[in-house]
């Protein structure tokens, strides 16, 4: 395994870091509320960072999502790439790729996904979908939604099509989420039977990368605060309890990062990666929760201020924990997958 970024991946990550640092400021994020920052989204797409995902692969996307997570930038970048560009590029027909990828890359179309499959949506024989997804991230921004049906076939639905209804819902993090209701909605099939599992593994890995960035940003704020805040004439960071809490948070953040890198690298190489994606998701859920709690705790009373920048990292970390699935769910799925693989090897 080689996790060193290519020249193209490093250049894209560096450009993303500059754009997010310049535009995803605390003041702009506070002004955006639960909506997305249209100017920031335009800057990302104009710079080619959405279209570039086709070339830099999932590992490159993970690097870019780390930069988004550091600033909790309010744009539908993760969703559009994980549920739009990557699955269409990997599983779309030549006609679908030619029609959809340019619009997604330019930001003229925005994608999201009603993932994971919960069996709530069914498809008729003629490809019409019926059912409800109660909370879809960035649905209020989306022009297209990738929807798995009860049989885990993938369908792409236009949010403006007849039979499609969206309604705003509140989530822990301000992700422009919405409720998706389908009533005989027209949809187009994406890929074969393997497309769902492939897309789910890539999405779990991508959102784990986003969580790595959220945790890194939270920890960076905590380090800055404890290094400058003094108590009894010395910085808080010199207290052993503070150092140990920060060290644990750092190790957890690195565990999220390296498992996300490994899963992304394997997927890019065409290697089996379902269990690796589940491992990355578990670390992002369980360790991510610990890190953002530590980041807020290390700010002391200031961490309880809902307007403090570190609170956004707390909200995003908890939202990603819920979105990826609680630790026990992911461990159960991972254990079942390992047992199934072992049974197949000994059959």
């Amino acid at each position: 395994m080689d996790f060193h970024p290519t020249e193209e991946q490093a250049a894209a990550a560096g450009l993303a870091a500059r754009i997010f640092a310049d535009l995803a400021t605390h003041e702009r994020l506070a002004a955006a509320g639960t909506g997305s920052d249209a100017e920031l989204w335009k800057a990302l797409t104009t710079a080619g960072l959405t279209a570039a995902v086709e070339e830099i692969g999932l590992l490159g996307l993970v690097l870019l999502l780390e930069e988004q997570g550091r600033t909790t930038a309010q744009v539908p970048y993760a969703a559009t790439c994980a549920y739009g560009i990557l699955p269409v590029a990997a599983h779309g027909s030549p006609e679908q790729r030619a029609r959809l990828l340019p619009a997604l890359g330019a930001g003229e179309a925005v994608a999201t996904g009603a993932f994971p499959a919960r069996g709530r949506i069914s498809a008729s024989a003629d490809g019409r979908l019926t059912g409800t997804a109660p909370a879809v991230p960035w649905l209020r921004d989306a022009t297209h939604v990738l929807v798995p049906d009860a049989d885990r076939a993938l369908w792409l639905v236009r949010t403006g099509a007849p039979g499609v209804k969206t309604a705003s819902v509140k989530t822990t993090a301000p992700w422009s989420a919405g409720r998706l209701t389908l009533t005989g909605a027209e949809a187009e099939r994406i890929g074969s039977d393997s497309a769902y599992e492939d897309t789910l593994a890539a999405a779990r890995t991508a959102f784990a990368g986003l969580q790595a960035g959220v945790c890194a940003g939270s920890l960076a704020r905590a380090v800055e605060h404890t290094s400058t805040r003094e108590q009894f004439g010395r910085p808080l960071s010199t207290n052993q309890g503070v150092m140990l809490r920060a060290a644990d948070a750092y190790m957890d953040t690195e565990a999220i990062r390296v498992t996300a890198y490994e899963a992304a690298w394997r997927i890019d190489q065409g290697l089996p990666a379902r269990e690796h994606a589940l491992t990355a998701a578990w670390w992002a859920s369980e360790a991510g929760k610990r890190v953002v709690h530590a980041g807020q705790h290390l700010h002391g009373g200031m961490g309880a201020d809902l307007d403090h920048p570190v609170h956004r990292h707390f909200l995003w970390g908890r939202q990603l924990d819920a979105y990826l699935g609680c630790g026990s769910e992911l461990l159960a799925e991972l254990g079942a997958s390992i047992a199934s693989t072992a049974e197949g090897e000994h059959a």
Side-chain angles (χ1 to χ4, degrees), residues 80 83-85 87-88 92 96-97 99-101 104 109-113 115 127 129 143-149 153-159 161 164 180 182 185-191:
T80 291
Y83 298 126
I85 289 178
V88 171
Q96 287 172 327
R97 292 196 294 270
R99 171 167 47 89
L100 295 169
L101 289 176
L104 289 166
V110 174
T112 188
F115 273 64
L129 304 184
T143 58
H144 295 76
V145 187
L146 195 64
V147 179
D149 65 18
L154 284 188
W155 303 87
L156 194 64
V157 179
R158 290 183 297 106
T159 55
V164 180
L180 177 70
L182 305 174
E186 291 185 2
E188 57 180 311
R189 180 76 181 268
I190 299 289

Side-chain angles (χ1 to χ4, degrees), residues 38-180:
E39 183 181 349
L40 175 54
W41 181 239
K42 183 177 180 180
L44 290 170
T45 55
T46 301
L49 290 176
T50 308
V53 173
E54 285 186 72
E55 302 298 327
I56 62 176
L58 183 55
L59 181 55
L61 175 60
V62 166
L63 295 173
L64 270 62
L65 290 177
E66 278 192 77
E67 300 304 332
Q68 179 183 3
R70 289 179 199 276
T71 58
T72 61
Q74 201 61 18
V75 285
Y77 188 62
T80 291
C81 294
Y83 298 126
I85 289 178
L86 289 179
V88 171
H91 300 288
S93 67
E95 185 278 329
Q96 287 172 327
R97 292 196 294 270
R99 171 167 47 89
L100 295 169
L101 289 176
L104 289 166
E108 297 165 0
V110 174
T112 188
F115 273 64
R118 300 294 189 192
R120 298 188 178 104
I121 295 173
S122 59
S124 65
D126 59 350
R128 292 182 178 273
L129 304 184
T130 298
T132 301
V136 179
W138 285 286
L139 180 63
R140 282 151 43 199
D141 298 327
T143 58
H144 295 76
V145 187
L146 195 64
V147 179
D149 65 18
D151 296 322
R152 298 191 172 185
L154 284 188
W155 303 87
L156 194 64
V157 179
R158 290 183 297 106
T159 55
V164 180
K165 182 179 179 181
T166 64
S168 176
V169 298
K170 290 184 177 180
T171 53
T172 301
W175 281 6
S176 299
R179 178 184 179 89
L180 177 70

Side-chain angles (χ1 to χ4, degrees), residues 217-255:
S218 175
L219 183 57
R221 291 189 182 279
V223 168
E224 180 182 8
H225 174 76
T226 57
S227 297
T228 57
R229 182 81 167 184
E230 292 190 356
Q231 188 178 59
F232 305 117
R234 60 193 181 109
L236 289 171
S237 59
T238 60
N239 293 324
Q240 186 179 43
V242 171
M243 288 190 285
L244 291 174
R245 191 79 189 273
D248 286 342
Y250 174 79
M251 293 301 294
D252 274 338
T253 300
E254 288 302 297

Side-chain angles (χ1 to χ4, degrees), residues 116 118 172 211 285 316-326 329:
R118 300 294 189 192
T172 301
Q211 181 75 303
S285 176
W316 276 61
R318 290 313 306 256
Q319 183 67 49
L320 283 162
D321 164 40
Y323 185 64
L324 288 165
C326 72
E329 284 182 322

